[in-house]
Amino acid sequence: MAVELDEIDVKLLTQLQQDADRTNLELAELVGLSPAATLHRVRRLKESGAIRIVSASLDAAAVGFPLTVFMAVTTANARATERFEREVQLLPQVVSAETVAGEMDYWLTVVARDVEDLEHTLTRIATHGGGRVVTYLRLKQLKPPTPLPLLPSSASRQRRRS
């Protein structure tokens, strides 16, 4: 169930999505609250699960991973699925893994230092339950991840009704 958000929550979350390294004092000034009230709201948003984690967004190529590959993976049966899911959790090169509906079962994002590193990851996936693996080499990022288009809860309910 979605967390109820008011206008101040939306402002806080929007600011944190743009720059999670902001100090509490900066956030307070940006949303028009006292530092204590701001800290209380951010803590409440964390406890509610609206904020899962605060992390840095790294440039993979700048830190030694020039290859980014997307993998569409299909597993053959329940046993293969269990092996595959365990292996994905163990591979640090798999930076994102999603279960999807459609022609494939999984969508992975994999980073690699070079072709040899990529080949090693592909082999591990293929030999640990990945029945069919289709790879897509990322040439360039067209649109980086963007902040969620948040609205206060009452506004989002009104928007859905119309």
Side-chain angles (χ1 to χ4, degrees), residues 60-156:
V63 295
F65 296 93
L67 298 175
T68 298
V69 175
F70 303 105
M71 293 183 188
V73 181
T74 304
T75 55
N77 54 48
R79 190 165 154 227
T81 296
E82 289 175 21
R83 283 182 62 209
F84 170 78
E85 289 183 358
R86 275 195 309 272
E87 190 65 20
V88 165
Q89 295 296 327
L90 296 173
L91 287 168
Q93 297 90 340
V94 178
V95 295
S96 174
E98 311 288 337
T99 303
V100 296
E103 190 176 329
M104 68 198 83
D105 299 321
Y106 300 91
W107 184 259
L108 310 180
T109 304
V110 175
V111 295
R113 295 189 183 279
D114 52 35
V115 173
E116 184 179 332
D117 190 25
L118 178 59
E119 183 179 23
H120 172 76
T121 303
L122 277 166
T123 300
R124 296 251 324 253
I125 287 170
T127 59
H128 288 83
R132 179 172 180 247
V133 180
V134 179
T135 60
Y136 302 90
L137 177 64
R138 184 181 91 176
L139 300 177
K140 72 176 183 177
Q141 187 173 55
L142 179 64
K143 181 180 179 180
T146 61
L148 295 173
L150 299 173
L151 294 172
S153 296
S154 60
S156 64

